[in-house]
Amino acid sequence: PHRSMLHTNSNRQFISLKMKFMILFMALITIPILISGSFTYIKYSSNVERNAENYTLNLVEQIRINMDQYMKEVERLTLAPYYDSGVLAILKLHSDLYQKGVYLNVEEQQKMGLFISSLSFDRPEIESILMFANDGSLFNNSEISVMNNWIPEKENWMSKVLLEEGAFTILPPHTVYYYSSGPKQVVSLTRLIREPFSHKPLGIIKVDLSADGFEKIFSPEGKGNNINLYIYDKEGTRVYSDRIAPELNLSDPQYLSASTDSTYTGLQFWGQIPLSELEKEARELTRFTIMITVISLIVAYLLSILSSNSLVKPIRHLQSKMALVRKGFFKEQAVVRTYDEIGQLTEVFNTMVGEIDRLVREVYETKLREREAELSALQSQMNPHFLYNTLESINMMAIQSNDLNISNVVTNLGNLLRYTVDMRQTLVYLRDEMQFVESYLQIQELRSSDRLRTEIYIDPSLLTALVPKLILQPLIENVIEHGMGGDPVTIRLRARMEGEDLILSVEDDGVGMDEPTVKLVEERMYSLREEHPQKQEYGLKSHGFALRNVHHRIRLLYGESYGISIDKKVCRGVTFQIRLPFQWEE
């Protein structure tokens, strides 16, 4: 049974995580689009007729508003003669019974012509404005070719105006014969003019509208050719319709109709839209929706592929790093590209690998310390008193020979040996560290033939602070080996408080170092790997451990925020600063 199960598992088809994501994304994209597209089309088909009816109703309502507004403006024009006494006087002179071939003098024609011109100025939709007097006189703008007299038999429209008894009247399309060019079909706006006090009829003012101008008055912008518009007066006579529009038939099932009435003018406004146009729009929408859906699916599929790659790429990167760690490369770190669960997993992996590397290094360093302890145990078998007694004998011989320089060197060397041989202490008082440094400097000053000077600026209150043992001597030795030039060099030792930290600085005014050298020193001093650079390189002893060892000793004791840094603000020489937490006792 066990072999059979293994055989079954081996026959299973492997499907990558990328392929699973792609299939999932495509299904999540395609199904909602198809469902929403179907419901959208059904909803649109059910609402398109209602929307078209609302649109047509809004359109005819807008036409009604435009027409009412324009009629009010023209009505004010027809009332203008009442406000001009000269015009009323001329009409009163011609208010007698009709006479054929009435003579009009030049002054009257000029006066009435100027008046009519002022009314029709900047109104391109107006064909002409005319004043009909009772005696047959006809006044008009001299720019328009109109006869000077009118004939009652040909002006049947006047009876309707007279019946309105001075009210503003809209005349549907009718034929007039007072134009010099011949009979003309016009739509007119008229009013009977009466004498203000006696109400005696004086004449008729008539505004003729051109067909194009009449349509521009109320036709809204954006009106499509698929909508037919009709205007009827209160008697049911058609005042206007689109030139290509058929007769209005409200019972025709092929059209959708909407209407509104004007309480101001008494006109009825109708709009009709063919249902075939609605079906055409539905078909166009269907084709457009299908095209957009196909394009959207293609784009969505491409995005799903890219998204799958972006999701799987960090996982593959993490997988490759795991393979390297499995081979023993514990320094490897995965790049955190996202801030989601995968990013968190990557961070956990990096933390885990770092912890493994730290444990391995601790085990390795523990073994090295064990070896050093064994070596120290062997070295400690030599009785240090033998060395001290020998140095004391040499010192006595130097004093007897009156050679004080040799005596000082031997004394300082003995102090150095006592301080370094005592391995029991890790932390010492700053004053003990300074005594050791002073002994070391006295020997070096003797060797340098007065080319090395020392200045110490330390507050006595800081001398009882605890510091790690042997942290200043490597920095001073670094100055002697690499900072000495042809001129004398001064080494300044300083100590100060900065917040809760103790800052020790070793300054010199020697040859200094350029920016590339500073970067190289910092790189090797802060490096976690143990390197063995050449002796001539700045900042490192022949074995390459001086500055780096001091820096890492401090960090191991106190943490990442402490250690050695280089002050880059100095203009001459080099300044190393040691940052330690201030403490009085262990």
Side-chain angles (χ1 to χ4, degrees), residues 70-85:
Y70 183 76
M71 289 302 175
K72 291 178 182 179
E73 295 178 2
V74 176
E75 185 179 11
R76 285 194 291 270
L77 293 182
T78 61
L79 293 172
Y82 287 102
Y83 302 98
D84 194 316
S85 58

Side-chain angles (χ1 to χ4, degrees), residues 100-116:
K100 186 175 182 180
V102 179
Y103 172 74
L104 299 176
N105 61 51
V106 176
E107 185 179 352
E108 291 176 343
Q109 289 182 350
Q110 289 180 349
K111 170 62 179 177
M112 299 298 282
L114 290 174
F115 176 75
I116 294 172

